[in-house]
Amino acid sequence: MSTTPPVLAAELAQAWADIQRYHPELPDLAAPESLIGESSSACGAELSFERLLHEAVHGIAAARGVRDTSRAGRYHNRRFLAIAEEMGLDHSEEPHASSGFSLVTLNPEAKKRYRPTIERLQRALKAHTAATAADTKRSFRGPAARHGSSGGGVRVKAVCDCGRNVRVVPSVLAQAPIVCGGCMKPFRIPEVATAAAS
């Protein structure tokens, strides 16, 4: 099985199409490869079918013109939760103080409905992880990797104590603090406990 990002992107696109079969109003996924390696504290750290379905909730909210988040996309409100429940996701606890109802999990009916899709995507993700873990220092990754720069990776939101935020590649923030000019505190990527494995 090939494990290049385009193959994983194709599997993500197929999984998205499987969701669209049950939810035809869901818009097409413009760039599935943008989800590969992306980490979002508000939406769950790991790429999985559950995470993809979470992103689909945002897609349907956008198609309906529903504002499903606030606080610059960090807080997932009850409108997000209502659509999530329509799509087979549950949130059993009170809302998290900073991320709201973001950490949703597949309900049993959705697990059954999407079982073949989940298994296919898990195989592709596992193969992709194995291929990227096997990447050695002998592999050529281009000048950005050689010089320790971000190489234009996926940016996530980092916040400071006064509430300002910036989009930054996590590896860049890990190299040295980025300090807010307003409060003189370092920007940080908000930590949110990851959802329990399904």
Side-chain angles (χ1 to χ4, degrees):
M1 170 187 265
S2 174
T3 57
T4 60
V7 171
L8 181 53
E11 290 293 345
L12 287 165
Q14 181 57 54
W16 191 266
D18 291 350
I19 298 168
Q20 285 177 311
R21 275 202 317 257
Y22 294 98
H23 304 280
E25 69 184 303
L26 178 62
D28 291 338
L29 182 59
E33 61 277 1
S34 68
L35 294 172
I36 300 170
E38 180 177 351
S39 174
S40 170
S41 59
C43 301
E46 290 185 25
L47 184 56
S48 64
F49 181 76
E50 201 166 73
R51 167 80 188 282
L52 193 65
L53 197 56
H54 174 125
E55 297 299 336
V57 172
H58 291 302
I60 287 184
R64 292 178 182 175
V66 171
R67 185 169 179 189
D68 63 341
T69 62
S70 59
R71 301 180 195 164
R74 288 186 311 272
Y75 191 87
H76 293 59
N77 59 35
R78 290 192 185 278
R79 290 181 293 272
F80 170 86
L81 181 60
I83 297 170
E85 289 172 344
E86 284 178 39
M87 297 183 71
L89 293 166
D90 289 332
H91 189 281
S92 59
E93 302 172 10
E94 290 299 309
H96 187 276
S98 63
S99 63
F101 296 98
S102 69
L103 298 177
V104 287
T105 56
L106 281 166
N107 68 29
E109 184 182 323
K111 283 181 186 177
K112 183 178 178 183
R113 176 188 309 143
Y114 292 112
R115 184 178 315 275
T117 304
I118 293 167
E119 290 171 355
R120 191 180 65 241
L121 186 57
Q122 282 177 335
R123 282 192 302 270
L125 287 165
K126 203 176 285 186
H128 177 72
T129 300
T132 54
D135 192 14
T136 67
K137 292 186 180 199
R138 294 178 49 93
S139 299
F140 180 73
R141 303 214 39 207
R146 279 199 316 273
H147 298 295
S149 74
S150 68
V154 176
R155 287 162 177 74
V156 297
K157 189 173 300 176
V159 297
C160 68
D161 287 347
C162 69
R164 297 177 73 210
N165 62 70
V166 295
R167 303 289 284 176
V168 63
V169 177
S171 62
V172 171
L173 194 58
Q175 291 172 10
I178 298 173
V179 179
C180 171
C183 67
M184 303 310 288
K185 301 278 178 136
F187 284 95
R188 60 184 166 61
I189 299 171
E191 298 278 333
V192 175
T194 56
S198 54

